């Protein structure tokens, strides 16, 4: 008998390319946590993606473990969800190569992230940076995912994943589930506090632009107090007020308040009061995460046991899809 109670599958990943940011948290990780009861969730640290930008080996090793503990500290329950490390599961690199052969040069050339990152790392525009979306498509398609919780910046890569999967299915039959992006209503695009026209990023060179999950309260408060605003001196969401809009987005995402409620709350008050309130709300949101992280990072053996267990399950699930793909293409098994 068909199992009609089968839960939908959720897949998402994050690069351990630095300390996890408030943007990563509000845009993606918070949804990862919220989806754990309703879906079969599979999450990964996308360390293979990380080397599209040059990494210092010791820092990379530290970042991987830190990111693993930080994501767990956000509330990923390893008894409910599978949380593995991408490079430990060889099917990802293998399917990425295959999908590269089913992805067009023109499609990859149109990716905004490729254009942005090539401009930022003009001395290292490597082939991996260009084919990043085929690796990401493979990550998702290996698990036959229904939903992919990501921030708005990843929408274009999800669309490409759907195109690649549809093309492949058109050639070989129903091999891949066509996944959907799952983008939060609030917090999908958190911008830099210093340059509100560019997104908050782990690798931002201006440390004041980015709030990290593990920043101590006084650092968070200082960053919000220095946040770029405007000369209007009025808390309202409007075109051209990018800095204030961004702060309102963050405050709304953390407190659940609408823009109208925020405008009413700060009517007649200056930006100083507003920035303090945003900073305090973020400090309280992140406090339990930092405390839990401090405990987890001390227990390396426990972290290792968690990802080894998850790596094995991920390998088992993803191998099924990879075998099917290879058989359909004509490889001798
Ligand atoms: N500023 C953001 N606002 C909302 N969501 C965001 N995400 C990233 N930045 C924001 C979401 O976080 C998830 C993990 O992102 P990633 O690590 O895979 O890659 P990224 O988008 O390149 O993140 P960063 O922080 O900008 O890293 P670097 O500096 O290394 O490039 C994704 O779901 C993403 O949408």
């Amino acid at each position: 008998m068909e199992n009609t109670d089968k839960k939908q599958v959720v897949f998402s990943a994050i690069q351990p390319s630095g300390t996890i940011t408030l943007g990563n948290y509000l845009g993606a990780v918070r949804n990862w946590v919220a989806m754990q009861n309703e879906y079969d969730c599979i999450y990964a640290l996308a360390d293979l993606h990380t080397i599209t930008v040059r990494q210092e080996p010791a820092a990379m090793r530290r970042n991987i473990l830190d990111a693993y503990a930080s994501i767990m500290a956000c509330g990923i329950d390893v008894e409910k969800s599978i949380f593995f490390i991408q490079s430990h599961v060889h099917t990802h690199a293998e399917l990425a190569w295959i999908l590269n052969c089913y992805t067009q040069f023109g499609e990859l050339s149109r990716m905004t992230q490729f254009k942005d990152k090539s401009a930022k790392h003009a001395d290292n525009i490597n082939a991996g940076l260009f084919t990043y979306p085929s690796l990401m498509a493979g990550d998702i398609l290996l698990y036959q995912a229904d939903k992919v919780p990501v921030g708005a910046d990843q929408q274009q890569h999800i669309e490409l994943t759907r195109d690649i999967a549809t093309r492949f299915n058109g050639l070989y039959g129903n091999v891949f589930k066509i996944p959907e992006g799952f983008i939060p209503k609030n917090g999908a695009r958190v911008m830099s506090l210093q340059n509100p026209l560019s997104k908050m990023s782990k690798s931002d060179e201006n440390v004041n632009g980015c709030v990290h999950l593990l920043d101590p309260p006084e650092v968070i408060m200082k960053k919000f107090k220095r946040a770029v605003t405007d000369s209007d001196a009025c808390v309202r969401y409007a075109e051209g007020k990018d800095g204030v809009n961004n702060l309102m987005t963050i405050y709304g995402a953390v407190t659940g308040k609408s823009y109208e409620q925020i405008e009413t709350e700060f009517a007649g008050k200056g930006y100083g009061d507003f920035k303090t309130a945003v900073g305090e709300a973020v400090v309280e949101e992140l406090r339990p995460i930092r405390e839990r992280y401090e405990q987890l990072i001390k227990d390396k053996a426990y972290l290792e046991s968690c990802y080894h267990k998850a790596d094995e399950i991920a390998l088992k699930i993803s191998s099924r899809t990879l075998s099917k793909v290879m058989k359909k293409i004509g490889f001798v098994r």
Side-chain angles (χ1 to χ4, degrees), residues 12-29 32 44 46 49-50 52-53 55 71 113 117 120-121 132 136 148-155 157-158 182-184 187-192 198-204 210 246:
S12 196
I14 187 163
Q15 296 186 73
S17 45
T19 314
I20 311 291
T21 70
L22 182 65
N24 299 136
Y25 174 71
L26 295 177
V29 180
W32 296 13
H49 284 268
T50 301
T52 53
V53 171
Q55 306 289 325
I71 301 290
Q113 180 175 293
K117 289 212 168 168
K120 211 163 150 190
H121 304 280
Y132 178 115
M136 176 166 160
V148 188
V150 285
D153 62 310
Q154 291 298 333
Q155 177 68 27
H157 289 162
I158 302 288
F182 189 90
I183 294 174
R189 193 187 293 276
V190 177
M191 310 308 279
S192 158
S198 83
K199 77 164 187 149
M200 185 179 282
S201 269
K202 286 182 221 95
S203 53
D204 193 341
C210 179
N246 187 38

Side-chain angles (χ1 to χ4, degrees), residues 219-250:
V219 173
I220 297 176
M221 290 308 294
K222 206 187 285 172
K223 287 180 179 177
F224 277 106
K225 281 183 181 156
R226 286 185 184 165
V228 167
T229 48
D230 51 53
S231 54
D232 181 37
C234 176
V235 178
R236 62 188 177 97
Y237 197 95
E239 217 184 306
K241 287 174 65 70
D242 304 297
V244 172
N245 294 348
N246 187 38
L247 292 175
M248 288 178 74
T249 298
I250 294 171

Side-chain angles (χ1 to χ4, degrees), residues 271-292:
Y271 287 155
D273 288 343
F274 178 48
K275 286 178 176 181
T276 302
V278 184
E280 283 171 354
V282 170
V283 164
E284 288 320 310
E285 177 80 13
L286 300 187
R287 189 188 300 282
I289 297 175
R290 207 184 48 259
E291 287 171 1
R292 175 104 184 96

Side-chain angles (χ1 to χ4, degrees), residues 39 54 68 71-72 77 98 105-106 120 141-142 156 173 192 197 207 213 227-228 236 241 248 251 294 323:
Y39 298 91
R54 200 70 72 230
Y68 197 87
I71 301 290
M72 274 180 78
D77 180 347
I98 292 173
F105 182 88
K120 211 163 150 190
L141 299 176
L142 276 171
Q156 200 184 24
S192 158
L197 293 176
V207 287
L213 285 198
V228 167
R236 62 188 177 97
K241 287 174 65 70
M248 288 178 74
Y251 191 60
E294 297 296 348
S323 286

Side-chain angles (χ1 to χ4, degrees), residues 141 144-146 161-163 165-166 169 174 176-180:
L141 299 176
Q144 307 289 352
D146 296 277
T161 300
R162 290 167 59 86
D163 291 345
T166 305
N169 285 355
N174 217 5
F176 294 127
K177 175 86 61 72
I178 309 297
E180 272 175 34

Side-chain angles (χ1 to χ4, degrees), residues 129-142:
L129 194 61
F130 188 63
T131 61
Y132 178 115
S134 334
L135 176 58
M136 176 166 160
D139 297 339
I140 297 166
L141 299 176
L142 276 171

